[in-house]
Amino acid sequence: MIFPFRRTVLALLGGCGLLAGCASPPLHIYTLGIPVHSDTKSLQVSPQTTVVQVSRVVMPDYLDCQDIITRQGEEIHRSPNSRWASRLSLGITDLITNEVAATASHDTLFTDQPLAKAADMQIMIAISEFDVDVNGHAILNAHWAIIPHDRNKPLLRNIVHLAANGPVHTDADTAALMRNLVVQLATQIAKSIPSNIR
């Protein structure tokens, strides 16, 4: 009875060895944006500072995940080897906030963080479609509203359809193509912000 048991154990160990030899490729983690490093340690927010809050982007549930997705017709392909570092809505919100802030004057603060006091203006963004197909054609449909804290000022609404083409041979290619469209969206949002925010 000892020898069959030994053979079973050796067979199991051999199977584990084969599985270890066929290890899956490493997981790649991507972000939409690249952190901008600055020598400035802090920003003093004075009563004269205009604060603009960018709300978390709203998007379809199947997209708002950490999977990197491409489309082939009605079929969705999820990358087995790559992920976003956070949910896609958070990455998009962060990138838009940073891009819009880069165009702002020194007395305007853009943030996507919770605030203790109501902001002077709020930007709410909804993405209805954000697809990259297997042929490298990407589209982004979005609308946004710019809501002043002063309810006597008009609420501004905008809508945009964006498209771009590029390689999608790798997940890095797909991430770069998606970043391109989000930066285009941020540019459109920045242009729509009125100069007299307060």
Side-chain angles (χ1 to χ4, degrees), residues 2 5 9 13-14 27 56 73 112 116 121 127 141 158 166 169:
I2 296 175
F5 178 74
V9 171
L13 289 174
L27 182 66
R56 180 172 171 174
D112 56 6
M121 179 174 287
I127 292 175
N141 294 328
N158 295 272
H169 305 303

Side-chain angles (χ1 to χ4, degrees), residues 13 20 28 31 40 46 62 65 71 74 84 95 106 110 129 131 158 182 192 194:
L13 289 174
H28 297 278
T31 61
T40 304
S46 70
Y62 79 95
C65 58
R71 177 185 288 277
E74 296 180 353
W84 296 114
L95 179 55
H106 68 280
F110 284 85
E129 190 172 5
D131 280 324
N158 295 272
V182 176
S192 70

Side-chain angles (χ1 to χ4, degrees), residues 69-73 131-139 165-166 168 177:
I69 294 172
T70 52
R71 177 185 288 277
Q72 186 170 19
D131 280 324
V132 179
D133 69 22
V134 293
N135 297 314
H137 179 64
I139 59 171
N165 292 285
V168 288
L177 190 53

Side-chain angles (χ1 to χ4, degrees), residues 3 12 23 34 41 43 55 57 64 67 81 89 159 196:
F3 294 108
L12 288 171
I34 299 172
K41 301 299 180 183
L43 175 65
S55 297
V57 171
D64 192 17
D67 293 316
N81 304 319
S89 61
I159 190 168
N196 56 335

Side-chain angles (χ1 to χ4, degrees), residues 20-166:
C22 300
S24 59
L27 182 66
H28 297 278
I29 306 296
Y30 291 91
T31 61
L32 272 176
I34 299 172
V36 178
H37 300 287
S38 172
D39 294 333
T40 304
K41 301 299 180 183
S42 63
L43 175 65
Q44 184 67 39
V45 180
S46 70
Q48 287 72 42
T49 302
T50 299
V51 179
V52 180
Q53 184 178 37
V54 181
S55 297
R56 180 172 171 174
V57 171
V58 176
M59 59 193 311
D61 288 342
Y62 79 95
L63 286 174
D64 192 17
C65 58
Q66 288 182 259
D67 293 316
I68 294 181
I69 294 172
T70 52
R71 177 185 288 277
Q72 186 170 19
E74 296 180 353
E75 186 177 353
I76 298 296
H77 297 275
R78 301 179 186 274
S79 170
N81 304 319
S82 301
R83 297 285 184 275
W84 296 114
S86 65
R87 294 180 74 91
L88 189 55
S89 61
L90 292 172
I92 292 174
T93 304
D94 183 60
L95 179 55
I96 289 176
T97 303
N98 289 336
E99 289 292 315
V100 174
T103 68
S105 60
H106 68 280
D107 59 348
T108 303
L109 171 67
F110 284 85
T111 181
D112 56 6
Q113 300 302 306
L115 298 171
K117 181 182 176 182
D120 296 296
M121 179 174 287
Q122 183 181 19
I123 302 175
M124 301 182 71
I125 307 160
I127 292 175
S128 57
E129 190 172 5
F130 193 8
D131 280 324
V132 179
D133 69 22
V134 293
N135 297 314
H137 179 64
I139 59 171
L140 191 161
N141 294 328
H143 60 274
W144 67 96
I146 300 176
I147 307 165
H149 179 63
D150 184 350
R151 299 304 180 186
N152 294 318
K153 292 186 176 181
L155 182 151
L156 304 177
R157 298 179 185 272
N158 295 272
I159 190 168
V160 71
H161 170 80
L162 301 169
N165 292 285

